[in-house]
Amino acid sequence: MLLAQLLDRTGTGVWAASSVLYFTFAVGLDARQLGLLLGAAGVAGVAGSPLAGRLAGRFPVRILLIGCHLLRVATLGLMLVCTRFDVLLPVVAVTYLGDRAAKTLEMLFATRVAGERRSEYQALSRSAANAGYAVGAGIAAIGLAVGTREAYAALILGNALSFVVASVLVWRTHEPRSHGHVVARSTDAKPAAPRSPWRDRDYLAFVLLDIPMNLDDSILNVGLPLWLVNHTSAPHALVPAFLAINTVLVVVLQLHVSARVEGPRRAAGAVLLYGLTLLACCVVVATATGGGAWTASIALLAAALLVTTAELFRSVSSWELAVSLAPEESRASYLGVAGMAGSVQKSVGPLLLTGAVMTAGPAGWLLLGGAVAGLSVVQRRLSLRRLDALLPAAPPSRTLS
């Protein structure tokens, strides 16, 4: 399964690094068309997670995941022969829907396969994913250097091939019948009927709070590069170092961090660490405008280290709590809704940074960091309160809220 994810992310890394240039130079879309295309894709991606969760409650996850891989193979093939914008719009939207659905299904499948060792598996998965993205970006760089339509087509075919091989590997992986269990329940409890996550206010509140707990992604990929270019005298060549720092640290440290933050209560504690670390990152970014090129460079590199540290905490806490706070009998549909947090953040986060934080200057970063830190306290308390309700017989030494 890890190898399948590695191949999936390698193909996705190829696509992420080359898609905008492909649509611009090989297809000939203008900036307005490209914006509409990516906007529609983002909306479709938000719908992918809950749709996958709903279907996973009715059909085998393995079959659905293979279906998502093959769906993307088909849509990538259509992109090679379609050049009209009105045709590409639904094709790209379905591609992103399948991509987000596949990510949710991968974690559902991993939760079932890994059982109580899901934290360790999640760490290995994150390391494999980042390694895949790095390899994919490297492969894309070769094709982009050639720059011909044939080179772009080869990159798309390589992405499609990664999904084909991933499908074969998923097919060969056994899916347990049991969904496993996350938290202990009373032995005399009666089986509960499936519940709808859309009617569970506490869980929806957790998912809503999890959106700002994913802002590290937009800060790394949008906030730091734009702040460097527009508000500091640091050299532009420093921008690739942000991604390099992130990739290396996640691959090297994710398993170690996950081993220290194991179990739902420690995951709730990691939420607070996330908020404080992101606050520190925002403070450092705000100070990057006060000196020369060297001072700004050091500050922004330190910010990249801090935002990566926050990501390490978030990657442990977000999924662990999403699983632990969901009723076992309705876990698939609940996790589908939880997966929306990352998708919504990818759509809203860049707009928040470019439209509000950047406009407000250094004060905008301080307000952003303070808001995320405050919300992390709220999410931690909410999570612990719900865990107390799920674990009425927890020992007295449990973490206090």
Side-chain angles (χ1 to χ4, degrees):
M1 187 62 192
L2 285 172
L3 181 56
Q5 286 185 279
L6 175 65
L7 289 171
D8 182 335
R9 300 303 189 273
T10 298
T12 302
V14 170
W15 175 248
S18 60
S19 58
V20 171
L21 295 181
Y22 170 75
F23 289 131
T24 301
F25 297 112
V27 179
L29 300 183
D30 58 33
R32 181 187 65 84
Q33 291 174 320
L34 185 59
L36 288 173
L37 191 75
L38 297 178
V43 172
V46 172
S49 293
L51 178 61
R54 185 174 182 84
L55 292 174
R58 302 180 179 183
F59 305 100
V61 174
R62 183 176 64 163
I63 300 302
L64 292 172
L65 181 53
I66 292 172
C68 284
H69 288 326
L70 297 181
L71 174 66
R72 289 181 289 174
V73 171
T75 55
L76 288 170
L78 287 173
M79 287 184 205
L80 289 175
V81 297
C82 297
T83 57
R84 288 175 47 186
F85 173 74
D86 58 342
V87 178
L88 279 174
L89 189 66
V91 170
V92 175
V94 172
T95 302
Y96 278 75
L97 183 147
D99 181 72
R100 193 64 207 180
K103 286 181 171 59
T104 298
L105 291 168
E106 282 174 345
M107 294 314 302
L108 278 169
F109 196 33
T111 299
R112 296 182 181 182
V113 172
E116 295 301 324
R117 300 182 63 189
R118 62 180 175 275
S119 295
E120 180 182 350
Y121 186 92
Q122 169 73 347
L124 292 170
S125 173
R126 289 284 303 167
S127 298
N130 277 269
Y133 282 131
V135 172
I139 294 172
I142 298 173
L144 296 178
V146 176
T148 64
R149 184 178 179 85
E150 291 74 17
Y152 284 115
L155 292 176
I156 293 176
L157 288 173
N159 188 13
L161 179 61
S162 73
F163 297 141
V164 172
V165 179
S167 297
V168 174
L169 293 173
V170 172
W171 178 259
R172 296 174 59 183
T173 304
H174 173 67
E175 179 179 357
R177 290 180 178 272
S178 172
H179 290 201
H181 61 278
V182 179
V183 292
R185 289 175 170 80
S186 174
T187 56
D188 59 352
K190 296 180 180 179
R195 297 165 57 185
S196 169
W198 300 106
R199 297 180 180 179
D200 190 330
R201 293 183 179 180
D202 283 347
Y203 197 84
L204 288 177
F206 163 78
V207 175
L208 184 63
L209 289 167
D210 213 39
I211 295 173
M213 299 304 123
N214 279 267
L215 275 171
D216 57 275
D217 176 75
S218 291
I219 291 175
L220 177 70
N221 295 300
V222 178
L224 294 186
L226 288 182
W227 192 255
L228 181 150
V229 171
N230 297 317
H231 295 271
T232 77
S233 55
H236 294 185
L238 196 67
V239 171
F242 300 152
L243 183 59
I245 289 172
N246 178 265
T247 301
V248 171
L249 289 182
V250 170
V251 171
V252 173
L253 296 179
Q254 187 68 78
L255 189 60
H256 177 71
V257 173
S258 297
R260 289 182 171 271
V261 188
E262 188 172 2
R265 294 190 179 278
R266 289 186 178 181
V271 173
L272 182 58
L273 293 176
Y274 175 90
L276 294 176
T277 305
L278 206 68
L279 172 60
C281 169
C282 291
V283 170
V284 172
V285 174
T287 64
T289 59
W294 276 104
T295 302
S297 298
I298 293 172
L300 289 171
L301 288 174
L305 285 169
L306 287 168
V307 77
T308 299
T309 303
E311 178 188 341
L312 291 170
F313 290 131
R314 186 258 302 169
S315 62
V316 174
S317 63
S318 183
W319 189 258
E320 176 65 28
L321 289 174
V323 174
S324 300
L325 301 180
E328 181 183 348
E329 64 279 357
S330 306
R331 185 179 295 160
S333 59
Y334 270 69
L335 294 183
V337 172
M340 291 179 62
S343 300
V344 172
Q345 187 282 140
K346 286 182 179 294
S347 299
V348 177
L351 296 176
L352 173 65
L353 289 171
T354 57
V357 175
M358 299 289 178
T359 303
W365 284 103
L366 297 178
L367 288 172
L368 177 67
V372 173
L375 291 173
S376 72
V377 174
V378 176
Q379 191 187 48
R380 173 181 175 273
R381 290 180 64 88
L382 183 151
S383 300
L384 289 174
R385 185 172 67 246
R386 188 172 173 101
L387 287 172
D388 285 339
L390 293 172
L391 290 168
S397 59
R398 66 183 185 274
T399 303
L400 296 177
S401 58

